[in-house]
Amino acid sequence: MFTLDLFSDLPRSTGNRQQLGPGAWLLEGFALATARELVAAVEDVHQASPPRHLVTPGGFTMSVAMTNCGRLGWTSDLRGYQYTPVDPLIQRPWPTLPPVFLSLAARAAEAAGYTAFSPDACLINTYTAGTRLSLHQDKDEQDLSAPIVSVSLGLPAVFLFGGARRTDPVQRYEVRHGDVVVWGGEDRLRFHGVSPLKQGEHPLTGARRLNLTFRKVNL
């Protein structure tokens, strides 16, 4: 087990951009300046719509706990994957997107070359030691012209970035607290996932990694 101290993310070369593909970028430390606000906003969303372990259409229970905020939220059950305006767990609309979320998503997208990004959904994933996200495509959205913006908070993880087919070679990138990955254009439907999270402790999130995935669902 490792422990991150309060200054562990400061040496991260904030402002560096690593190109992962023609339309994909890793923006190192891009969210650090607003990290505390982001985590606080996540906790507010969790209070309104608690994280839960969704069941896939194949009957498997996801190890990652998920919830949403925004006009629409992504859900999964035995009937399939879908976006809904209402949280099926509590039968109320999903919490609204916090302004700090919207601002960060738009700025990160623009830094990666995608202007006027205005997400209508944010999937919030909570990882603990051993949890993972298998390779998948984000393809349930109508608007595939908009990029995906993925924000890492808390414990570091290994981001898996594959190709157009599940069997294509996979690149592995460490994503740390405050890093943002943006992919769109010809990279929009690349398979991606997260390796099993290693045990650790972070001063802002404890033994968790929080991931915010911003999407534009409707045209």
Side-chain angles (χ1 to χ4, degrees):
M1 177 177 177
F2 59 86
T3 301
L4 303 179
D5 62 40
L6 289 171
F7 305 100
S8 62
D9 49 16
L10 294 182
R12 187 65 158 170
S13 44
T14 305
N16 280 2
R17 299 176 356 136
Q18 183 177 358
Q19 189 164 14
L20 313 186
W25 296 87
L26 168 58
L27 309 176
E28 296 181 356
F30 192 89
L32 279 178
T34 54
R36 290 186 180 275
E37 293 177 74
L38 294 169
V39 171
V42 168
E43 302 299 352
D44 288 343
V45 173
H46 282 178
Q47 288 293 319
S49 286
R52 74 293 310 257
H53 296 275
L54 299 176
V55 175
T56 70
F60 297 99
T61 299
M62 297 183 183
S63 64
V64 174
M66 300 181 178
T67 189
N68 297 270
C69 60
R71 190 174 58 82
L72 295 168
W74 185 87
T75 65
S76 172
D77 56 29
L78 294 176
R79 296 169 297 178
Y81 305 117
Q82 60 181 321
Y83 281 97
T84 66
V86 172
D87 181 345
L89 184 66
I90 60 174
Q91 292 300 310
R92 294 178 183 173
W94 298 101
T96 58
L97 275 161
V100 66
F101 279 22
L102 289 168
S103 174
L104 174 65
R107 289 186 292 107
E110 186 169 12
Y114 300 97
T115 58
F117 178 57
S118 180
D120 50 15
C122 176
L123 178 59
I124 302 175
N125 292 342
T126 301
Y127 294 79
T128 54
T131 58
R132 61 189 290 270
L133 198 60
S134 59
L135 288 175
H136 65 283
Q137 294 171 299
D138 291 346
K139 60 180 181 180
D140 299 318
E141 300 75 34
Q142 294 179 7
D143 190 357
L144 296 179
S145 65
I148 300 293
V149 176
S150 176
V151 182
S152 292
L153 298 167
L155 293 177
V158 175
F159 177 66
L160 308 175
F161 202 48
R165 298 171 298 180
R166 190 184 299 275
T167 55
D168 286 345
V170 172
Q171 304 170 57
R172 291 169 170 79
Y173 301 94
E174 183 185 37
V175 285
R176 304 183 196 174
H177 177 63
D179 286 351
V180 181
V181 182
V182 182
W183 64 95
E186 62 185 273
D187 290 323
R188 175 62 177 73
L189 290 177
R190 285 175 66 162
F191 278 87
H192 57 282
V194 177
S195 293
L197 192 74
K198 293 183 179 180
Q199 189 176 17
E201 191 78 17
H202 191 277
L204 280 183
T205 64
R208 302 172 299 165
R209 172 184 184 252
L210 301 174
N211 176 248
L212 315 177
T213 300
F214 295 95
R215 302 167 178 174
K216 178 67 174 174
V217 180
N218 289 337
L219 296 171

